[in-house]
Amino acid sequence: MCKGLAALPHTCLERAKEIKTKLGTLLQKPDSTIDFIIPYPEKPEKPPKAQKPSPEEALQWRDSLEKLLQNPYGLASFRSFLRSEFSEENAEFWVACEDYKKTKSPVKMAEKAKKIYEEFIQTEAPKEVNIDHFTKAVTMKNLVEPSSTSFDVAQKRIFALMEKDSLPRFVRSEFYHELIK
């Protein structure tokens, strides 16, 4: 990369300016009403009409956050629990990232990336997730040219946080004990 500005002053500075310009474009305020379209509902969602899992299936969630999040009923239950603890932003961010990864259109991808960044990543975002400075920096760098993997590092950090912190509390909760009866 740019080792020693004396060796390649114009190349490094030009690349830095290019990155700054692209990032600035991504993060600028909306110019048109199309930017105000919010892909994630602000109102609480109704849980999907999924079949309640068997107690055996719900018991598997103790050991696998992945299985819990992949089950529509499990995800809705987990989100309700997190909402009761005022920590729903982590699950919301994870869901937003999963939706983002399915986006094919580069234009839609850029719009969703901007929305996710503004809602969950930027400092003092309305639903700011707790990620370290390095993860935030990597994510911002990835957003210069959005791709399906732009949020992977941050999503993995939040998954690990939920697995280590939220899942054990969920498993001890009344929400969960009702499911395994």
Side-chain angles (χ1 to χ4, degrees):
M1 193 95 204
C2 297
K3 295 185 180 171
L5 289 177
L8 300 167
H10 296 293
T11 307
C12 290
L13 292 175
E14 288 170 6
R15 183 69 181 143
K17 286 180 183 177
E18 180 184 329
I19 290 171
K20 183 179 175 185
T21 301
K22 286 182 179 180
L23 191 56
T25 302
L26 180 66
L27 301 177
Q28 72 189 50
K29 298 287 182 214
D31 290 334
S32 66
T33 54
I34 192 74
D35 288 339
F36 288 108
I37 297 172
I38 299 171
Y40 310 106
E42 293 298 326
K43 296 178 183 173
E45 342 179 316
K46 292 181 182 176
K49 300 218 184 239
Q51 185 176 348
K52 186 175 179 179
S54 67
E56 293 77 26
E57 185 178 2
L59 279 169
Q60 293 178 7
W61 299 343
R62 287 186 302 198
D63 304 317
S64 176
L65 179 60
E66 192 169 333
K67 285 183 182 178
L68 170 66
L69 296 175
Q70 289 174 351
N71 181 294
Y73 198 97
L75 176 60
S77 299
F78 189 58
R79 287 178 77 172
S80 293
F81 167 73
L82 292 175
R83 194 174 302 118
S84 75
E85 291 198 328
F86 304 100
S87 62
E88 184 183 13
E89 68 280 351
N90 291 334
E92 287 185 20
F93 174 70
W94 187 87
V95 168
C97 289
E98 288 299 298
D99 176 62
Y100 173 81
K101 287 184 210 177
K102 296 173 190 168
T103 306
K104 301 295 181 217
S105 160
V107 172
K108 292 252 187 247
M109 189 172 280
E111 289 173 1
K112 285 184 178 185
K114 179 180 177 187
K115 174 70 177 146
I116 291 170
Y117 175 82
E118 290 174 348
E119 191 169 359
F120 299 103
I121 304 292
Q122 79 180 6
T123 304
E124 297 189 28
K127 298 177 182 179
E128 185 176 4
V129 291
N130 186 10
I131 54 174
D132 58 273
H133 179 72
F134 172 78
T135 303
K136 190 177 279 197
V138 167
T139 303
M140 288 175 64
K141 182 181 173 205
N142 290 345
L143 293 177
V144 173
E145 292 184 30
S147 73
S148 62
T149 60
S150 292
F151 293 100
D152 281 3
V153 175
Q155 187 182 23
K156 285 176 182 158
R157 293 269 196 264
I158 293 303
F159 183 92
L161 180 68
M162 289 191 299
E163 190 172 47
K164 183 181 83 171
D165 186 43
S166 304
L167 181 61
R169 287 195 321 273
F170 175 68
V171 168
R172 290 189 304 267
S173 74
E174 193 60 39
F175 283 90
Y176 184 71
H177 287 274
E178 288 297 317
L179 291 172
I180 59 173
K181 282 185 181 180

